[in-house]
């Protein structure tokens, strides 16, 4: 099936998310749609899948123009979508999820689950998925849940499959398995649109690459293009992709975490007896698939969790039980994983956001009065130092790009007298050029003798920044290993395997 998007334009108020985009998907190819977060990739695919209606342009399938008023129309035309956040009912079986919305009945309206099971087995056997149709979805590993999404689309005769950032929740091994699945689907004649911002994955699996920047197609590239060439297309300038750092000059064990345990409101232990230390002048990166306790760990360290046991000692002082204000005043810089929720007040100006956690004293407040001159001078200084692209300090933070919003957060947290930097997902939703800048500032903080804790679900980022890597799985520490530990070993640890077993298994894979 040949799929064409012609002049697709989609606007949200004054924002043009897609600007006259042309895209052709040939039968039996893997076509990668590459671009930064916010470039318009997902919006374009949501138009294709009928979730949005285009303001201009047309969708053509095998030379016939289509009008999709919803996903049902897209599926009827042979287009399926595997979403980044799976559209599955956790308490249903695989077969029940696959038949949902397309239920077959027999004998007076009773659901024909046997037919659904047979369909799952047939597709699973054809592609070697090894999926049990009677398994409960919530009991399945994330990688297998993704296969269920693929089976669901294929059961409806999808000839074009759209994968929207499909590796965001996968371990490296699960990512490799997905790539193999994509190749199998291609060989069987299915066309694939692969949406991603990860250069390594693009070059590994794509037949053709289309790059989108700021809602427009800015070029096409071959899979043989280098990472630097692809990154340059994505951001419009040359980018340094390698994190340059000297060997660490280690100081004392400034941060010592012992037996840290966090329990959620339902009584579930989400951080389970975690212990580690970070020395001055060192980056310890916390790696793992999202949802394995990393968020709760960082929140506990800065006072944002209520049900906390154990100890967090910084420079000999206990932080557990202290208020967020006390912890920040003790010299903890905190870059939260969601800047929109925890890092910025979007309606506030850049100048106001830069003083958010210092609004109770000098130099910005004296005798209860706001010192506007000091605040604005500070804002101008940090805008220049951190290269924040803005109309000025009075511009609302919410009107900045994602990368510039993150620079505001980073500028605020790094401009204090730090004893510790905790950076959670420091480059999430940030363009490649800003990633380069943020990584440089993190390493500069480490080189100033400050302990740095980086939490990242991007394994490449964790490995690039880290002097040591701590892997978490289901709230526990699987192990702490050197920063140059092979990616394959880290991936196995992210699935719960011990460092020694993961090292042996990855060694066997390499020799095979």
């Amino acid at each position: 099936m040949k799929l064409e998007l012609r002049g697709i334009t989609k606007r949200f108020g004054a924002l043009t998310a897609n600007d006259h985009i042309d895209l052709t998907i040939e039968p039996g190819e893997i076509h990668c749609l590459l671009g930064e977060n916010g470039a318009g990739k997902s919006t374009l695919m949501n138009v294709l899948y009928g979730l949005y209606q285009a303001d201009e342009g047309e969708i053509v399938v095998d030379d016939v123009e289509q009008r999709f008023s919803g996903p049902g129309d897209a599926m009827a035309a042979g287009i399926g979508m595997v979403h980044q956040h799976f559209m599955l009912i956790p308490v249903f079986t695989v077969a029940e999820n696959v038949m949902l919305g397309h239920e077959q009945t027999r004998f007076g309206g009773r659901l024909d689950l046997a037919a659904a099971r047979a369909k799952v087995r047939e597709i699973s056997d054809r592609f070697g998925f090894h999926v049990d149709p009677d398994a409960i979805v919530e009991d399945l590993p994330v990688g297998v849940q993704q296969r269920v999404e693929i089976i669901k689309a294929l059961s409806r005769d999808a000839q074009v499959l759209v994968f929207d950032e499909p590796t965001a929740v996968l371990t490296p091994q699960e990512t490799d398995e997905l790539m193999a699945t994509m190749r199998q689907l291609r060989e069987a004649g299915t066309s694939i649109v692969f949406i991603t911002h990860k250069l390594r994955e693009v070059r590994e699996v794509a037949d053709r690459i289309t790059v989108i920047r700021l809602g427009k197609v800015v070029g096409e590239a071959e899979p043989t293009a280098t990472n630097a060439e692809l990154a340059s297309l994505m951001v419009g300038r040359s980018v340094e992709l390698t994190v340059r750092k000297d060997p660490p000059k280690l100081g004392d064990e400034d941060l010592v975490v012992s037996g840290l345990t966090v329990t959620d409101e339902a009584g579930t232990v989400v951080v389970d007896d975690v212990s580690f230390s970070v020395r001055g002048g060192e980056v310890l990166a916390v790696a793992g698939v999202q949802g394995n306790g990393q968020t709760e760990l960082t929140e506990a360290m800065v006072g944002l969790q209520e049900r906390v046991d154990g100890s967090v000692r910084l420079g000999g002082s206990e932080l557990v039980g202290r208020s967020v204000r006390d912890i920040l005043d003790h010299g903890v810089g905190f870059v939260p994983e969601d800047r929109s929720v925890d890092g910025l007040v979007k309606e506030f100006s850049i100048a106001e956001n830069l003083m958010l956690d210092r609004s109770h004293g000098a130099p910005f407040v004296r005798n209860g009065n706001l010192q506007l001159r000091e605040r604005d001078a500070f804002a101008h200084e940090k805008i220049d130092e951190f290269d924040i692209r803005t109309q000025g300090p009075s511009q609302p933070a919410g009107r900045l790009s994602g990368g510039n919003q993150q620079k505001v957060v980073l500028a605020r947290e790094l401009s204090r007298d730090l004893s510790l930097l905790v950076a959670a997902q420091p480059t999430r939703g940030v363009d490649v050029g800003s990633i380069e800048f943020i990584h440089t500032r993190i390493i500069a903080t480490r080189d100033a003798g400050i302990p740095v804790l980086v939490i990242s679900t991007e394994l490449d980022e964790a490995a690039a920044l880290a002097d040591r890597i701590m892997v978490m799985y289901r709230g526990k520490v699987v192990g702490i290993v050197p920063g140059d530990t092979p990616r394959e070993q880290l991936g196995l640890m992210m699935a719960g395997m011990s460092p020694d077993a993961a090292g042996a298994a990855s060694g066997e894979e390499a020799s095979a």
Side-chain angles (χ1 to χ4, degrees):
M1 184 174 86
K2 184 175 181 178
L3 172 66
E4 296 175 85
L5 304 180
R6 299 175 180 171
I8 297 294
T9 299
K10 179 61 182 176
R11 303 182 186 91
F12 298 96
L15 173 67
T16 301
N18 294 148
D19 190 354
H20 296 90
I21 290 181
D22 295 325
L23 186 69
T24 300
I25 312 300
E26 299 289 350
E29 76 166 356
I30 300 175
H31 194 128
C32 179
L33 205 58
L34 178 65
E36 290 299 318
N37 292 291
K41 310 182 301 295
S42 294
T43 297
L44 182 66
M45 290 302 103
N46 284 332
V47 168
L48 171 62
Y49 197 54
L51 291 168
Y52 297 152
Q53 276 69 54
D55 297 307
E56 299 176 31
E58 58 186 10
I59 299 171
V60 178
V61 175
D62 287 337
D63 298 322
V64 178
E65 184 178 352
Q66 305 287 326
R67 297 285 181 183
F68 298 156
S69 59
D73 294 339
M75 285 186 277
I79 299 167
M81 192 164 183
V82 178
H83 298 268
Q84 179 177 348
H85 303 289
F86 305 148
M87 303 295 181
L88 300 172
I89 307 299
V91 297
F92 282 11
T93 67
V94 171
E96 288 167 341
N97 270 284
V98 167
M99 75 184 305
L100 192 64
H102 292 259
E103 294 84 354
Q104 291 179 266
T105 58
R106 61 175 182 169
F107 305 135
R110 297 184 63 184
L111 290 175
D112 191 355
L113 272 172
R117 291 191 189 99
K119 192 70 171 178
V120 171
R121 289 193 187 95
E122 185 269 320
I123 296 173
S124 182
D125 291 345
R126 193 193 327 162
F127 293 102
F129 286 167
H130 308 294
V131 175
D132 178 3
D134 294 314
I136 303 298
V137 162
E138 66 182 357
D139 295 334
L140 297 174
V142 173
V144 179
Q145 290 185 30
Q146 191 171 66
R147 292 176 198 166
V148 176
E149 283 275 30
I150 296 170
I151 291 171
K152 186 169 69 173
L154 294 176
S155 73
R156 296 164 192 178
D157 299 320
Q159 298 175 59
V160 175
L161 267 182
V162 178
F163 288 83
D164 186 6
E165 297 283 1
T167 64
V169 293
L170 302 182
T171 67
Q173 280 73 19
E174 289 170 331
T175 295
D176 291 341
E177 291 171 4
L178 175 63
M179 300 296 173
T181 297
M182 287 185 179
R183 295 187 190 98
Q184 283 182 284
L185 291 165
R186 176 185 60 192
E187 296 305 315
T190 303
S191 301
I192 292 174
V193 183
F194 178 28
I195 305 173
T196 187
H197 65 277
K198 298 181 180 180
L199 302 179
R200 185 182 66 85
E201 296 169 3
V202 170
R203 298 177 64 227
E204 184 174 327
V205 78
D207 296 313
R208 283 197 299 147
I209 302 167
T210 295
V211 182
I212 293 182
R213 183 170 75 242
L214 300 176
K216 295 182 178 182
V217 173
V218 294
E220 290 198 355
E222 296 296 324
T224 53
T226 65
N227 283 348
E229 290 169 338
L230 293 173
S232 178
L233 270 176
M234 288 168 69
V235 301
R237 63 176 179 84
S238 60
V239 178
E240 175 61 65
L241 297 175
T242 304
V243 177
R244 300 189 182 278
K245 59 183 183 182
D246 295 324
K249 296 178 180 178
L250 298 177
D252 297 332
E253 282 192 338
D254 291 339
L255 175 69
V256 180
V257 177
S258 304
L260 193 67
T261 300
V262 180
T263 307
D264 67 14
E265 293 181 355
T268 302
V269 174
V270 289
V271 177
D272 193 352
D273 194 24
V274 166
S275 299
F276 63 91
S277 63
V278 187
R279 305 178 79 95
E282 174 187 37
V283 175
L284 177 68
V286 181
V289 175
Q290 184 76 37
N292 279 279
Q294 306 98 312
T295 298
E296 292 82 2
L297 170 67
T298 56
E299 290 179 347
M301 292 181 62
V302 297
L304 290 171
Q305 286 283 338
E306 296 180 357
R307 301 166 183 82
V308 179
D309 293 309
S311 172
V312 177
R313 297 187 70 82
L314 179 61
S317 298
E318 180 61 59
L319 300 186
V320 171
R322 297 170 69 168
S323 69
V324 176
R325 167 66 60 77
D326 284 347
I327 291 172
L328 295 180
D329 285 348
H330 195 68
V332 177
F334 179 48
V335 180
E337 67 179 53
D338 189 337
R339 58 181 169 268
S340 298
V341 174
D342 300 312
L344 296 168
V345 180
K346 288 189 170 183
E347 294 78 15
F348 282 13
S349 70
I350 294 169
E352 290 167 332
N353 273 283
L354 283 169
M355 59 165 282
L356 270 184
D357 55 9
R358 300 167 69 186
S359 58
H360 56 289
F364 304 120
V365 177
R366 290 193 183 94
N367 300 320
N369 296 313
L370 180 62
Q371 304 299 301
L372 295 176
R373 182 176 298 175
E374 283 82 355
R375 184 199 68 181
D376 292 345
F378 178 78
H380 280 293
E381 177 188 333
K382 294 307 167 185
I383 286 170
D384 290 340
E385 180 184 347
F386 284 81
D387 191 28
I388 300 168
R389 308 296 174 86
T390 175
Q391 298 170 2
S394 62
Q395 182 178 2
R399 294 184 185 174
L400 298 175
S401 68
N404 283 298
Q405 289 182 17
Q406 192 75 345
K407 286 180 180 179
V408 172
V409 175
L410 204 68
R412 182 183 65 226
E413 299 305 309
L414 294 183
S415 63
R416 296 185 290 115
D417 187 12
L418 289 183
S419 303
L420 168 69
L421 174 63
V422 179
Q425 315 299 346
T427 59
R428 174 175 285 170
V430 168
D431 64 78
V432 172
S434 295
I435 288 173
E436 174 190 16
F437 179 87
I438 291 169
H439 284 173
T440 299
R441 296 303 302 228
I442 288 173
I443 294 301
T445 303
R446 166 252 212 190
D447 290 345
I450 297 166
V452 178
L453 186 68
V454 171
I455 297 85
S456 180
T457 54
E458 299 282 356
L459 185 54
D460 290 339
E461 175 174 68
L465 291 172
D467 298 304
R468 292 185 299 143
I469 299 175
M470 181 174 82
V471 179
M472 290 188 69
Y473 177 71
R474 294 186 177 176
K476 291 179 176 288
V477 174
V478 175
I480 301 177
V481 295
D484 59 357
T485 298
R487 179 186 178 86
E488 294 76 16
Q489 181 178 349
L490 292 170
L492 293 170
M493 291 174 64
M494 288 166 64
M497 192 177 290
S498 71
D500 289 343
S506 61
E508 291 172 5
E509 281 185 24
S511 61

